Amino acid sequence: MICLTLSEPTIQQAVERVKKEREYIDMVELRLDFLTKKECEKASTFPSLVDLPCIVTNRRVQDGGKCALSEKQRRAQLLAAMDGDFKYIDIEEDLKRGELDEKAEARGIKIIRSLHDFSCVPDDIFSRIQQLRKRADVAKVAVTPRGIADVMTLFNAQKELEGTEKIIIGMGPYGVPTRILYKRMGSMLTFCSDNQTAPGQLSSRTLKQLYRADRVDDKTAIYAIIGNNVMSSLSPCIHNPGFAGIKYNAIYVPFLVDSVRAFFALAENLKIRGFSVTVPYKLEVLSYLGNITREVKQIGACNTVVRMPGLWKGINTDYYGFLAPIEKDIEEGRIKSALVLGAGGASNAIVWALRNRNVRVTILNRTLSRAEKIAQINICQFDKLENYHDYEGQVDLIVQTTTVGYDSWENPVEGFRLTGREICYDIITKPKETKFLADAKAAGCTVHYGIEMLIAQGKLQFEAFTGYHYPRSVQPDLSTGSL
Ligand code: ATR
């Protein structure tokens, strides 16, 4: 079940919120601690105003909530709310059995016993879940994984605690996969909210529409993306709709990763079928692969890993993804020479792709030694970025691979005089249009966006994952981002 956590100040607003998100949710949690004192007095009416099972919760500040009342007043609010038809009440682990339990039992309200830890995943988590379960209908733990090894502990809950009614939530950025794959952990529900009432929470629409999290079952094939900044990745918006488009029971989930080794262990555990690799792991994954393609060997970087019988295979779809939007121009002789700005990881693959298509390349980089290194491997020219004016009117293609323009309205070759015949290509995906491209457009140049490369490489990755072409009927919507 997908459960919407309500953090509105009034009952009326809470009801409106439920109506707005109704198609994405199966359950709601009314948080008394977000209601004003006056509105809290009306809380018992809430279940009759919505057509979904309701949980009532009054979260203390120490557990991440807002209720700063005395314990007696807090419980009094809960007791009053329990006059309404709530299906569940959330009672914290440390509360001794008392009037809340008695009233819940008398009124047929199920008890969720909850434990919160905002700093870590406690070592004794499984025994604590079993202890909680003894005192309640449902045991709930919301803990904070500090790395991928902790995430593995949470996924092991299903094996360790089979048959126990439970809710297990990994909070914070490492915990995001546990929220999406809640059914794989044997969790009764996952919480969602637009206002992030707990760290790492996703919106109901993201969980239901993008991930189809409630449809995950034992047979669902899991795919992933790993990196140190995957939460803003657009790739889930390519793969998940693609899977739906070919009616493949599969899900593509972002994993923030701190250790590649631990992730490979988790990948075995979850039987992950394949995954995308982003910064900074494109090199580090190589040592775990049993088979790599020629491109991976040449470029020295892998962005796609696929499970094969007995081994992991590494491929590089960045290479083809980059070429896809300009392939025709190269074939038809409109691109014979190129300037590549930047000499980071992405630049290496791009220079290699262009050299392989017989394009003359000059790499310009702020740090000359990095440009020289790539130039030597790929047999091409290099120069300092500051000398860019020397190349005006000399090239057919300019590829922007530096990080300049990612979070600022800056062009690394400000004032470069374009003839209007150049093709300008920026590999930055956010923002879609950088200053480099805006200036190129203003000069009448043909431009290519980083998003084109992202979609092209994603579609190839999809083929590597599934063995099927990306469905033509699906247009990935990258306007909103994945989370
Ligand atoms: P990636 O591997 O993702 O390409 P990277 O290795 O950090 O990322 O490379 C970033 C590129 O942007 C490099 O070419 C970097 O230039 P240096 O090699 O001189 O560091 C370039 N870059 C970053 N900030 C820059 C700036 N302010 N001006 C010019 N180039 C910059």
Side-chain angles (χ1 to χ4, degrees), residues 279 341-347 364-368 370 385 401-404 410 412 427:
V279 177
L341 313 176
S347 164
L364 301 184
N365 197 46
R366 184 177 59 177
T367 311
L368 193 63
R370 290 184 87 188
L385 179 63
T401 79
T402 77
T403 46
V404 179
E410 276 179 280
I427 67 160

Side-chain angles (χ1 to χ4, degrees), residues 2-145:
I2 296 179
C3 179
L4 176 67
T5 298
L6 293 164
S7 55
E8 279 63 28
T10 70
I11 294 290
Q12 178 65 29
Q13 283 168 295
V15 170
E16 273 159 26
R17 164 70 64 186
V18 174
K19 276 193 196 140
K20 221 168 126 196
E21 308 210 13
R22 182 64 187 85
E23 62 185 300
Y24 310 124
I25 57 177
D26 312 296
M27 199 168 184
V28 288
E29 178 190 38
L30 183 68
R31 288 277 297 266
L32 303 186
D33 51 311
F34 280 95
L35 292 173
T36 64
K37 202 165 166 233
K38 197 123 201 77
E39 287 293 317
C40 202
E41 287 164 17
K42 297 191 239 160
S44 63
T45 62
F46 178 75
S48 62
L49 302 174
V50 295
D51 61 342
L52 287 167
C54 305
I55 305 173
V56 62
T57 302
N58 201 4
R59 191 71 70 225
R60 302 174 296 201
V61 174
Q62 72 210 64
D63 296 316
K66 288 203 156 203
C67 183
L69 298 172
S70 74
E71 188 52 19
K72 202 169 160 202
Q73 288 169 314
R74 184 178 79 96
R75 276 190 241 163
Q77 285 185 331
L78 275 168
L79 279 170
M82 285 163 83
D83 289 334
D85 282 331
F86 285 95
K87 183 127 194 245
Y88 295 90
I89 177 169
D90 184 307
I91 305 178
E92 292 78 7
E93 181 201 28
D94 58 319
L95 256 63
K96 291 210 177 71
R97 196 184 146 76
E99 48 190 354
L100 288 177
D101 304 70
E102 282 156 20
K103 185 159 182 180
E105 280 156 16
R107 294 204 27 84
I109 300 173
K110 289 189 170 181
I111 298 171
I112 300 172
R113 277 271 168 196
S114 63
L115 160 71
H116 296 86
D117 195 320
F118 288 88
S119 64
C120 66
V121 174
D123 290 338
D124 56 349
I125 182 166
F126 295 145
S127 65
R128 286 176 79 173
I129 292 172
Q130 267 156 346
Q131 289 304 322
L132 288 174
R133 181 67 174 89
K134 279 187 196 152
R135 299 166 59 208
D137 300 293
V138 183
K140 171 183 164 186
V141 291
V143 292
T144 310

Side-chain angles (χ1 to χ4, degrees), residues 246-403:
I246 62 165
K247 300 205 171 12
Y248 177 35
N249 181 3
I251 185 167
Y252 180 92
V253 181
F255 283 79
L256 175 65
V257 162
D258 59 331
S259 153
V260 171
R261 177 183 288 274
F263 179 76
F264 270 94
L266 179 64
E268 287 302 339
N269 228 322
L270 288 180
K271 306 212 166 11
I272 287 178
R273 303 269 182 99
F275 56 94
S276 313
V277 185
T278 63
V279 177
Y281 299 124
K282 289 186 182 186
L283 301 182
E284 204 180 326
V285 291
L286 295 180
S287 48
Y288 298 88
L289 306 177
N291 185 340
I292 55 172
T293 59
R294 176 172 152 263
E295 287 83 18
V296 172
K297 200 168 175 189
Q298 283 290 332
I299 300 162
C302 165
N303 79 324
T304 310
V305 176
V306 186
R307 182 190 284 278
M308 308 288 282
L311 58 86
W312 293 101
K313 180 176 179 181
I315 58 183
N316 192 312
T317 66
D318 283 340
Y319 166 88
Y320 295 103
F322 165 72
L323 285 176
I326 53 170
E327 192 74 78
K328 210 159 169 236
D329 291 307
I330 295 177
E331 254 170 42
E332 294 174 3
R334 283 188 293 277
I335 297 178
K336 294 202 169 88
S337 59
L339 265 190
V340 175
L341 313 176
S347 164
N348 194 21
I350 285 165
V351 172
W352 194 74
L354 291 170
R355 292 296 297 129
N356 241 353
R357 292 289 196 277
N358 268 331
V359 175
R360 283 192 313 279
V361 174
T362 304
I363 306 165
L364 301 184
N365 197 46
R366 184 177 59 177
T367 311
L368 193 63
S369 57
R370 290 184 87 188
E372 181 175 11
K373 208 167 152 205
I374 299 178
Q376 276 173 351
I377 300 167
N378 295 288
I379 315 169
C380 63
Q381 304 298 312
F382 63 96
D383 200 347
K384 283 200 102 169
L385 179 63
E386 63 196 44
N387 296 334
Y388 60 82
H389 285 299
D390 295 350
Y391 298 87
E392 287 167 354
Q394 311 271 323
V395 291
D396 306 318
L397 170 73
I398 306 172
V399 189
Q400 200 305 104
T401 79
T402 77
T403 46

